[in-house]
Amino acid sequence: MESDCPTGESGRGGDGGFLSPPPADELMSEHEGETVYIVAQIAVEDWDTYRSEYMPTTFDRITAHDGEVLGASETAEELEGDWAGNWTVVIEFPSEDDAYAFMQDEEYVEVMSARHEAAAWSDIAMLPGFDG
């Protein structure tokens, strides 16, 4: 399957098609307008490139789209299963639209190649907030 990712790369299990939102009728419609979270687990190999070329613009673009980084760490305490990455990030957005706007942001898309160069793999997912 061809990737929608500008560099053609993807995570370990995905097809890289996270840049294009699904058709409106396939969105998480029951959660429309509600908080969503982007969770990333990344295996960074070149920290210099990751920190200098990818992180500054990425964090700037997250906040430009009303996102908030809730957690970002090189260490995660493995409680169950295998936690293979060495960089985990949890980002909150007010809505699915805001999250997609971030993922499609021109400046963010430009620096994504730095993440692909600096990391062996990255797995990124979006999920709705839990309301009980």
Side-chain angles (χ1 to χ4, degrees), residues 54-100:
Y54 177 72
M55 288 178 72
T57 299
T58 299
F59 285 96
D60 177 63
R61 302 322 302 155
I62 289 168
T63 57
H65 293 283
D66 298 323
E68 179 181 358
V69 177
L70 300 179
S73 179
E74 293 178 39
T75 58
E77 182 179 350
E78 186 177 294
L79 300 176
E80 186 174 330
D82 294 320
W83 201 258
N86 60 0
W87 184 247
T88 303
V89 182
V90 179
I91 308 165
E92 179 183 69
F93 286 95
S95 71
E96 192 175 63
D97 288 343
D98 292 315
Y100 278 119

Side-chain angles (χ1 to χ4, degrees), residues 11-83:
R12 294 178 295 165
D15 69 356
F18 56 84
L19 289 177
S20 300
D25 62 341
E26 292 179 22
L27 292 174
M28 296 183 278
S29 57
E30 72 265 18
H31 303 286
E32 190 173 326
E34 293 183 14
T35 301
V36 298
Y37 299 89
I38 290 181
V39 180
Q41 186 182 39
I42 303 167
V44 178
E45 295 179 322
D46 179 354
W47 282 103
D48 289 338
T49 297
Y50 193 83
R51 286 188 178 113
S52 66
E53 295 180 27
Y54 177 72
M55 288 178 72
T57 299
T58 299
F59 285 96
D60 177 63
R61 302 322 302 155
I62 289 168
T63 57
H65 293 283
D66 298 323
E68 179 181 358
V69 177
L70 300 179
S73 179
E74 293 178 39
T75 58
E77 182 179 350
E78 186 177 294
L79 300 176
E80 186 174 330
D82 294 320
W83 201 258

Side-chain angles (χ1 to χ4, degrees), residues 10-14 41 84-85 121-123:
S10 64
R12 294 178 295 165
Q41 186 182 39
W121 53 264
S122 54
D123 290 335

